[in-house]
Amino acid sequence: MTIATTTSEDHSAGHEEHPDLRVWGLLTFLASESLMFGGFFATYLFFRGTTAVWPPEGSEVELLVPTINTIILVSSSFVIHFGDTAIKKNNVKGMQLWYAITAIMGAIFLGGQVYEYSTLGYGLTTNVFANCFYIMTGFHGLHVFVGLLLILRALWRSRLPGEYSATNHTFIEMTEIYWHFVDIIWIVLFTLVYVLTLF
């Protein structure tokens, strides 16, 4: 009887033969998250269309901090792309710089959101608008926090020699895709919750 043996080289070769589906897995996950946010947005629009005064008196939103936050978050999408471009050119230091800046911008966004919550003067259970507002912005804030953790993880791992390079940057690419998703969702949310309240 012959016992088949497999060396580590065989495993490596076999692994290389399989396509890397991590990016597709992420895209599938983000598609499901889009449906969840879509449900939130549809519910918000339903209540907006069936309520005489929207937002109800005493639960208005202010635009200054959210607008600044929007500028920061949209700008950060360009910044993180510079990091992805850098690593594809084998520029690890460049990737680290741009990802560090993106992390700072993400932290500032979250800080701005916390500040906004502390100055609104109403809470989650004040009325239907407040409930929708806190659930949507809070859920989005959670996604920003997760994205921030991914960026910090990429920065931490980039200290290791050869961890990321022009031929090994899947996690960097996935982090960028996730961050763009967070950005797009915020643009829609900002338009619905903040901009449309002016009309």
Side-chain angles (χ1 to χ4, degrees):
M1 180 175 66
T2 303
I3 300 177
T5 59
T6 305
T7 65
S8 58
E9 289 80 5
D10 294 330
H11 281 297
S12 298
H15 178 72
E16 291 173 356
E17 291 174 0
H18 296 287
D20 191 337
L21 300 178
R22 286 177 292 175
V23 173
W24 284 107
L26 173 64
L27 293 175
T28 302
F29 169 74
L30 295 182
S32 67
E33 292 294 283
S34 298
L35 293 176
M36 186 174 298
F37 275 107
F40 288 152
F41 296 154
T43 301
Y44 177 85
L45 290 172
F46 171 79
F47 285 124
R48 175 186 169 88
T50 56
T51 304
V53 179
W54 192 268
E57 186 177 351
S59 56
E60 295 82 5
V61 295
E62 64 99 15
L63 285 176
L64 179 59
V65 173
T67 299
I68 294 173
N69 258 0
T70 300
I71 294 172
I72 291 172
L73 196 61
V74 171
S75 300
S76 71
S77 265
F78 293 96
V79 175
I80 198 172
H81 180 68
F82 295 151
D84 181 65
T85 301
I87 198 60
K88 289 176 180 177
K89 296 178 180 178
N90 266 329
N91 183 0
V92 177
K93 292 294 184 183
M95 183 278 290
Q96 291 172 332
L97 172 63
W98 293 117
Y99 265 57
I101 295 174
T102 306
I104 292 171
M105 297 173 82
I108 292 174
F109 177 91
L110 290 176
Q113 192 167 38
V114 170
Y115 173 80
E116 181 188 10
Y117 284 173
S118 68
T119 58
L120 284 176
Y122 52 87
L124 176 66
T125 58
T126 299
N127 51 47
V128 174
F129 170 80
N131 186 258
C132 291
F133 172 83
Y134 278 104
I135 288 177
M136 290 194 299
T137 58
F139 194 58
H140 176 267
L142 176 62
H143 281 71
V144 174
F145 180 72
V146 171
L148 183 57
L149 292 180
L150 294 175
I151 292 170
L152 294 176
R153 190 264 189 191
L155 284 171
W156 181 257
R157 296 288 298 180
S158 68
R159 300 175 304 109
L160 304 176
E163 180 69 15
Y164 301 120
S165 66
T167 57
N168 181 29
H169 54 262
T170 302
F171 186 79
I172 299 296
E173 186 177 14
M174 291 172 65
T175 301
E176 181 191 3
I177 291 171
Y178 181 90
W179 197 253
H180 289 325
F181 168 79
V182 167
D183 190 3
I184 293 170
I185 292 296
W186 176 255
I187 291 173
V188 178
L189 197 159
F190 177 76
T191 302
L192 289 178
V193 177
Y194 295 94
V195 176
L196 291 184
T197 57
L198 300 177
F199 303 98

